[in-house]
Amino acid sequence: MTSSATLAATVTPDATRPALVTQDLSRIYPSGEGSVTALAPFTHTFPQGLTAVVGPSGSGKSTLLNLLAGFDTPSSGRVVVGGTDLHSLSEAGRADFRLKHYGFVFQNHNLVTILSALENVEFPLTLAGMKPKERRERARELLERVGLGNRATHLPGQLSGGEAQRVAIARALACDPAVLLADEPTGNLDTRTGQKVLDLLTAQAQGGRTVVLITHDRDVAALANHTLRVRDGVVTGE
Amino acid sequence: MMSWGDLWALAWRGLTRRPVRTLLTALGITVAVASMVVFLSLGEGIRKVFTSELGGIGPDVQVSLSGFTQGFAPQPNLPETAVGDIQKLATELKITSVTPVVMSVRSSLDVSQSVVLYGLPAAQGISTVFPKIVPATGRALIAGDEGQKVAVVGAKAAENLRLKVGSTLNLTRRTSVKVVGVLAQESGLVDSFIFLPLRTLQDAEGATGRVSLVALKLENPRDARAVATALAKRLNLEASTQSDFLSFVERALRISDAVRFGISLIALIVGGLAVANTVMMGVFERTREFGTLRAIGARPGFVRALVLTESLLLALAGGVGGIILGLAGIWGVNLYTQNLAGIDAAALTPRLTLLALGISILLGLLSGLLPSRSASRISITDALGRV
Ligand SMILES: Nc1ncnc2c1ncn2[C@@H]1O[C@H](COP(=O)(O)OP(=O)(O)O)[C@@H](O)[C@H]1O
Ligand SMILES: [Mg+2]
């Protein structure tokens, strides 16, 4: 894939960011009489920059991401971020860890429908205990950064799909996370609005964050610095 | 961690998402708490009437055959000879007045027509037992009235039975008396009393030579307990003090409080279930949202606290509404009992207000227990769905 190498932007590494590592990470779902190996043991160090995870539907991409996020418990192996074994933490400890080190962008924007765009971006900062004035200021700044400074008071229902997804990105960036996990963030968007979302994510990758982007769009994958291919639960590198 | 203010604000937003449903549920709590407040305010009002009425007036000690086992007005079954026996001990026990009393309650289906007939020696006068009372029109009882067919009526009794000075009052089929005085309003039970000379009432009741009780005034009212004990022992009679009477009233009220609270408890439980249902529906509807919050860094405890706060807020809003509605109810009850007996039967005391608030908080916490537990246990992957 020579084209992907030319399309991908260069990454300015940030040594202060913790590294995302998997060791023999696997997930087996019990099913009926037997079991489904959704993820075969996978050892990998995610470099800073954009890593695209591609593969057909049902191959195990989301399973991998759910394990990286600590949403799901692995059948074996570990996820280590900056030396911390994610699954050795308590449920509350893992939540705190996600708040501090992770940002998430889902296929649906998953914004809180009764909160305005600004309040949605503020929410993680509120959880982190930031003072109202400071967090409002920071949230405003983040909305500006995703080009939605003029939509602060809009409710998610009053935003277009692409705009809502950009608010979700602003929310994901609220606590300045080292790792951004995105599961098909453009899956519900048309090419043009999707492009804006991808531009934002690649910009974050260039700044030295570890961005893991799940997609089945080859053009999207072409933007990545690194690509992982998943097939029947088996992950292979570039 | 998130501040309490932020948590309450967020819970409030969660509730206002479905304003009609929230309002209806809060109204359910309002009605339940209001019914509890009105029910229990009756006991509180009656307590107030008794403690303020009998605090400074009425006999220091009253002697009867049966104590309070027959309630407030015992049958005239005590031989009048007891009066003499007590008088013999008067100097020794520092008793300043000994007044034989016959009491008879004329109850009627129409409560406003119910009165208490109170017979005492005309020569001693009403003021021996109720020193503050003065006639508004006509006169009080005088010595010459003894055995005569005359009566002095309390303000409320006069109003309800439409009596004035000169009116005739039928005590029994054979006995009727003439009203010679109407007493000034006292805002108490005494307003529903009709005072008669002792012999007159004894004759009418067919209780010649017997009395209901003997009322005593003491030189030092603080000795009441000791005097009562001494009398009870020496004369083999029941002797009770004002505080005995108050504790009798208190016991009776406690029992009726329990009954009335029991009735309102049903309403409260139904209200609590409504809150639980509303909050639970809110949790189901927002499974994805709660899953998202958990995903982006909210602890299970945060989600639990949020749902519990919603439940608490809902119950508390309903509770405050209930106290306000209860106040209106109390006002209505008192309007009625003022007309009836000249008393405020219902009262919203500080402790009743606190109880209502406490019950609302408890209701909110209990109702929120299950929904908050299930909200905190939402699986993130299930909530977000498989994409
Ligand atoms: N909760 C689950 N229970 C059982 N099987 C599951 C569950 N989640 C995913 N799987 C299975 O694991 C495999 C990988 O699924 P997934 O990771 O969602 O695929 P992708 O995201 O690549 O489309 C699929 O065969 C799927 O049916
Ligand atoms: Mg998937």
Side-chain angles (χ1 to χ4, degrees), chain A residues 63-149:
Chain A
T63 300
L64 171 61
L65 188 116
N66 286 341
L67 292 171
L68 292 178
F71 297 161
D72 193 13
T73 313
S75 304
S76 76
R78 308 194 292 164
V79 174
V80 181
V81 183
T84 304
D85 179 352
L86 193 58
H87 293 93
S88 71
L89 299 171
S90 68
E91 198 66 57
R94 206 153 39 241
D96 291 349
F97 195 86
R98 278 197 293 266
L99 182 64
K100 206 168 155 197
H101 300 291
Y102 279 133
F104 295 94
V105 185
F106 309 96
Q107 182 167 353
N108 304 85
H109 58 74
N110 282 345
L111 296 173
V112 179
T113 51
I114 48 159
L115 298 182
S116 69
L118 187 74
E119 289 166 329
N120 265 286
V121 179
E122 254 188 86
F123 186 81
L125 300 169
T126 311
L127 275 182
M130 196 185 270
K131 295 239 159 42
K133 231 185 112 192
E134 284 173 63
R135 69 184 190 228
R136 197 138 306 157
E137 210 164 290
R138 169 142 179 85
R140 217 170 265 289
E141 203 180 282
L142 285 160
L143 277 182
E144 298 281 354
R145 214 193 292 177
V146 299
L148 292 172

Side-chain angles (χ1 to χ4, degrees), chain B residues 213-234:
Chain B
L213 54 95
V214 180
L216 310 183
K217 283 271 176 190
L218 305 182
E219 198 176 300
N220 188 353
R222 285 208 205 131
D223 296 341
R225 185 67 261 156
V227 172
T229 311
L231 281 174
K233 211 159 143 198
R234 311 243 306 246

Side-chain angles (χ1 to χ4, degrees), chain A residues 62 66 71-72 91-92 95-96 98-99 104 106-108 110 112-116 119 123-124 126-129 135 171 183-184, chain B residues 1-3 6 10 13-17 286 288-289 292-302 379-381 384-387:
Chain A
S62 295
N66 286 341
F71 297 161
D72 193 13
E91 198 66 57
D96 291 349
R98 278 197 293 266
L99 182 64
F104 295 94
F106 309 96
Q107 182 167 353
N108 304 85
N110 282 345
V112 179
T113 51
I114 48 159
L115 298 182
S116 69
E119 289 166 329
F123 186 81
T126 311
L127 275 182
R135 69 184 190 228
R171 178 177 69 179
D183 193 344
E184 311 214 25
Chain B
M1 263 317 290
M2 185 177 268
S3 77
D6 290 329
L10 210 60
R13 300 287 281 273
L15 286 174
T16 49
R17 170 197 306 247
R286 288 179 289 167
R288 172 176 279 272
E289 183 180 310
T292 307
L293 297 188
R294 288 276 293 103
I296 66 173
R299 294 178 183 184
F302 166 80
S379 139
I380 301 174
T381 46
L384 293 177
R386 284 158 61 190
V387 189

Side-chain angles (χ1 to χ4, degrees), chain B residues 185-373:
Chain B
Q185 180 111 16
E186 266 288 304
S187 306
L189 292 178
V190 179
D191 288 337
S192 297
F193 281 14
I194 292 180
F195 291 96
L196 298 151
L198 185 66
R199 302 269 166 268
T200 312
L201 189 53
Q202 277 176 329
D203 291 347
E205 292 286 303
T208 313
R210 285 172 290 138
V211 294
S212 298
L213 54 95
V214 180
L216 310 183
K217 283 271 176 190
L218 305 182
E219 198 176 300
N220 188 353
R222 285 208 205 131
D223 296 341
R225 185 67 261 156
V227 172
T229 311
L231 281 174
K233 211 159 143 198
R234 311 243 306 246
L235 302 177
N236 197 21
L237 291 169
E238 291 287 337
S240 328
T241 62
Q242 282 197 39
S243 65
D244 289 340
F245 178 66
L246 289 183
S247 64
F248 161 75
V249 169
E250 183 59 37
R251 269 202 306 280
L253 284 175
R254 286 248 173 92
I255 293 168
S256 81
D257 278 349
V259 171
R260 281 175 286 121
F261 183 71
I263 295 169
S264 28
L265 200 60
I266 296 168
L268 289 171
I269 289 172
V270 172
L273 289 175
V275 170
N277 182 53
T278 295
V279 175
M280 197 60 153
M281 275 167 77
V283 169
F284 282 144
E285 285 171 359
R286 288 179 289 167
T287 301
R288 172 176 279 272
E289 183 180 310
F290 285 142
T292 307
L293 297 188
R294 288 276 293 103
I296 66 173
R299 294 178 183 184
F302 166 80
V303 175
R304 189 184 310 119
L306 180 62
V307 174
L308 209 54
T309 308
E310 279 186 19
S311 176
L312 197 61
L313 205 57
L314 186 55
L316 209 53
V320 170
I323 292 172
I324 294 168
L325 187 65
L327 263 177
I330 287 169
W331 179 81
V333 166
N334 285 342
L335 206 65
Y336 179 69
T337 58
Q338 270 295 346
N339 271 330
L340 225 60
I343 57 165
D344 286 338
L348 183 67
T349 52
R351 69 171 187 168
L352 181 53
T353 313
L354 282 180
L355 179 75
L357 284 177
I359 295 257
S360 307
I361 290 171
L362 193 70
L363 212 62
L365 288 178
L366 286 178
S367 313
L369 231 48
L370 208 66
S372 67
R373 207 173 105 109

Side-chain angles (χ1 to χ4, degrees), chain A residues 126-228:
Chain A
T126 311
L127 275 182
M130 196 185 270
K131 295 239 159 42
K133 231 185 112 192
E134 284 173 63
R135 69 184 190 228
R136 197 138 306 157
E137 210 164 290
R138 169 142 179 85
R140 217 170 265 289
E141 203 180 282
L142 285 160
L143 277 182
E144 298 281 354
R145 214 193 292 177
V146 299
L148 292 172
N150 56 344
R151 296 282 196 278
T153 57
H154 285 52
L155 292 173
Q158 300 167 323
L159 298 172
S160 74
E163 287 170 336
Q165 200 59 303
R166 277 146 67 197
V167 173
I169 292 177
R171 178 177 69 179
L173 295 174
C175 292
D176 190 24
V179 179
L180 270 181
L181 300 179
D183 193 344
E184 311 214 25
T186 58
N188 290 348
L189 304 177
D190 59 57
T191 325
R192 249 168 51 87
T193 46
Q195 194 54 51
K196 279 192 182 171
V197 168
L198 290 171
D199 288 347
L200 284 168
L201 290 175
T202 45
Q204 294 311 316
Q206 284 162 42
R209 280 186 230 274
T210 302
V211 181
V212 180
L213 171 67
I214 291 184
T215 180
H216 52 230
D217 186 335
R218 292 198 168 274
D219 296 338
V220 173
L223 296 167
N225 304 106
H226 318 276
T227 305
L228 294 175

